[in-house]
Amino acid sequence: MDTSTKKTPHLTLLISALLLLLHITAVTSIGVNYGTMGDNLPPPLQVAQFIKTRTTIDRVKIFDMNPDIIRAFAGTNISLSVTIPNGLIPVLSNLTAARQWVGSNIRPFYPSTRFEYILVGSEVLHWGDAAMVNNLVPAMRSIHNALVKSNFTAIKVTTPHSLGILNSSRPPSSASFQFGWQKYFLTPMLEFHREAKSPFMVNPYPYFAWNPKDNNFALFKPNPGLFDPATGKNYTDAYDLLLDAVHVSMKKLGFGDVEIAVGETGWPSAGDPGMWWCTVENARWHNLNVARKAGSGVGTPLMPGRKFETFVFSLFNENLKPGAADERNFGLFRPDFSAVYDIGIMRQSQSGGGGSVAPAPVTPTSGKQWCVPKSGATEASLQANINWACTDGGVDCSAIKAGGSCFNPNTVKSHAAYIMNAYYQAKGHQDFNCDFSGTGSVTTSDPSK
């Protein structure tokens, strides 16, 4: 009896590992959080086109209601989830106010922009004041009812939670929600999710619970695991443990059937001096395993066969985020669209075992290639390209200034041609670096001749 009990966790781990390996070479489809706390980030239109043409990311989550971002994703067929600020929650608990909000913020863009979730606040139980917390579920119901009355029934309502809502998580069988939130907040919220068929969204970050002793456990690396004697399950990574702790807590309230979505999870690729666990390889390996699990159907020890809709944090390194350096280095990409590392989301790439995989460059049909404005591009859009490339794009634009070698002919189109090509050449002839929101194209004919 003792022998079989000891073997079972290892057999389960072996089966899970084999199932996961079946998906190693597949290009991964996953969601990403698109934060904007940076002064060097590309324009939303370029971001949307990059995601659409160069990655397999099929859903994006933003932390506000930025209309420029919402418009940028119109017609891309990429699902967009948007966030209502925490401060608006008390007002939106009123159905009339919620209907007005939907009319002003959703109706003008839908269905051209494919909204997936309306997130009512972010980590409200952790950060919100009493008015926000008390009105959270009523606001979720009001927004849902407003969407239904507008016949926008495909758009779901949820709210993401930090795992501060848990009283404990180790082992998962002992997990429960914080006692003060169970009856008055989480039970009615889970009732809403069941009725509305929307997921309970959590932000499980093994990174924020990291300690040197648990390094391998946090990073999906070989380790003996944590055995839960109450369930007979052995956990070899913190991510599964946290998801099962949430599931157990929901089940104890009678809501084990409600789906779970992952609103945020990630690992930084750099940090302050001495933060040796913040490396490119650790970030890549953590997020690669998260991405594989998201769509593999492997599930967790207590939820086998389940898929978890997942949004990795984050799209870009954001240089204005406060705090330690790790906060500014969660991005999959740098602001110039170069990959910090690849987790299998670049088109024409695979997520193998080592190192970063760069996006595939354009293969020229005859030697050299150039980036030029499309014939139908407007002067306004070309000027916007110049403005962006000369500031956030890092291009040296002295040549098109008065007295510069390429100042003449002094036209927007001529200047844009020089700047767009300079950016394209500097970034290594990657076709998405000549997109410029659909106003640029690659040519093998020398435009100077």
Side-chain angles (χ1 to χ4, degrees):
M1 187 69 158
D2 290 342
T3 303
S4 63
T5 302
K6 290 178 182 177
K7 284 184 179 177
T8 300
H10 296 290
L11 179 60
T12 302
L13 173 62
L14 177 61
I15 293 171
S16 296
L18 288 172
L19 287 171
L20 195 58
L21 284 171
L22 292 175
H23 300 269
I24 284 180
T25 58
V27 176
T28 302
S29 175
I30 198 167
V32 70
N33 287 274
Y34 173 12
T36 56
M37 295 185 68
D39 61 7
N40 58 352
L41 300 178
L45 275 171
Q46 287 194 7
V47 174
Q49 286 303 307
F50 168 74
I51 292 173
K52 178 183 177 180
T53 61
R54 297 299 299 160
T55 80
T56 59
I57 294 168
D58 62 358
R59 61 190 74 94
V60 170
K61 181 160 77 72
I62 62 174
F63 296 95
D64 53 23
M65 294 297 305
N66 187 321
D68 292 333
I69 295 178
I70 294 173
R71 276 190 289 267
F73 282 92
T76 62
N77 206 36
I78 295 168
S79 297
L80 184 67
S81 295
V82 294
T83 304
I84 295 172
N86 288 3
L88 283 182
I89 290 172
V91 174
L92 295 179
S93 62
N94 176 274
L95 180 57
T96 300
R99 293 190 69 177
Q100 290 174 347
W101 185 90
V102 168
S104 299
N105 293 276
I106 302 300
R107 185 180 296 278
F109 307 105
Y110 185 76
S112 181
T113 296
R114 184 179 170 187
F115 292 107
E116 182 179 19
Y117 296 121
I118 307 298
L119 307 174
V120 182
S122 180
E123 299 187 342
V124 178
L125 296 182
H126 185 87
W127 300 107
D129 60 25
M132 296 173 193
V133 171
N134 291 333
N135 285 285
L136 178 57
V137 176
M140 292 171 71
R141 287 192 174 276
S142 292
I143 292 294
H144 170 73
N145 291 333
L147 291 168
V148 170
K149 287 181 180 295
S150 298
N151 202 30
F152 300 158
T153 54
I155 306 173
K156 301 299 182 182
V157 175
T158 186
T159 186
H161 302 278
S162 80
L163 291 197
I165 60 175
L166 296 179
N167 187 45
S168 63
S169 61
R170 291 195 181 195
S173 62
S174 70
S176 63
F177 291 124
Q178 296 279 1
F179 180 76
W181 289 336
Q182 289 185 24
K183 181 177 180 180
Y184 297 106
F185 305 111
L186 291 170
T187 294
M189 183 181 296
L190 288 165
E191 286 174 347
F192 163 77
H193 285 306
R194 177 182 283 164
E195 294 167 10
K197 296 180 173 57
S198 59
F200 185 71
M201 185 174 282
V202 294
N203 298 339
Y205 276 98
Y207 174 73
F208 290 121
W210 179 91
N211 65 70
K213 182 180 176 182
D214 284 347
N215 184 66
N216 286 5
F217 188 67
L219 284 165
F220 299 90
K221 295 181 179 180
N223 66 91
L226 185 151
F227 184 69
D228 189 338
T231 62
K233 305 297 184 183
N234 193 55
Y235 291 85
T236 57
D237 65 82
Y239 188 69
D240 278 357
L241 181 145
L242 293 173
L243 287 175
D244 273 357
V246 172
H247 173 66
V248 167
S249 301
M250 295 166 64
K251 195 171 182 179
K252 286 179 179 178
L253 295 182
F255 297 95
D257 58 308
V258 173
E259 291 294 325
I260 297 171
V262 175
E264 293 179 38
T265 190
W267 197 280
S269 59
D272 284 329
M275 298 178 75
W276 55 265
W277 55 97
C278 300
T279 66
V280 168
E281 181 53 28
N282 282 350
R284 189 193 72 86
W285 188 245
H286 175 274
N287 288 338
L288 174 62
N289 279 274
V290 167
R292 288 170 178 169
K293 276 184 171 290
S296 68
V298 171
T300 68
L302 292 182
M303 294 180 284
R306 249 172 140 173
K307 294 182 179 181
F308 303 96
E309 186 170 12
T310 302
F311 296 86
V312 171
F313 186 87
S314 61
L315 183 59
F316 293 115
N317 286 337
E318 299 169 64
N319 67 347
L320 294 184
K321 289 197 73 176
D326 58 336
E327 287 288 339
R328 295 181 286 280
N329 287 281
F330 272 89
L332 299 172
F333 298 96
R334 302 177 186 89
D336 65 358
F337 294 115
S338 61
V340 179
Y341 51 87
D342 184 30
I343 58 170
I345 61 172
M346 300 305 299
R347 296 192 184 277
Q348 302 175 19
S349 73
Q350 294 181 343
S351 54
S356 162
V357 181
V362 173
T363 303
T365 56
S366 60
K368 297 181 179 179
Q369 54 193 24
W370 295 264
C371 177
V372 297
K374 287 184 177 178
S375 58
T378 65
E379 285 201 357
S381 61
L382 295 179
Q383 185 62 54
N385 294 344
I386 295 171
N387 295 343
W388 177 80
C390 292
T391 53
D392 297 334
V395 175
D396 180 1
C397 295
S398 58
I400 63 168
K401 294 180 179 178
S405 59
C406 293
F407 176 71
N408 291 316
N410 182 18
T411 65
V412 171
K413 184 175 182 179
S414 176
H415 289 179
Y418 174 85
I419 295 302
M420 291 165 66
N421 187 57
Y423 181 82
Y424 171 71
Q425 301 295 335
K427 298 306 176 184
H429 302 82
Q430 295 168 348
D431 58 353
F432 63 83
N433 284 320
C434 185
D435 183 79
F436 288 96
S437 301
T439 63
S441 65
V442 174
T443 180
T444 55
S445 300
D446 188 346
S448 66
K449 294 180 179 178

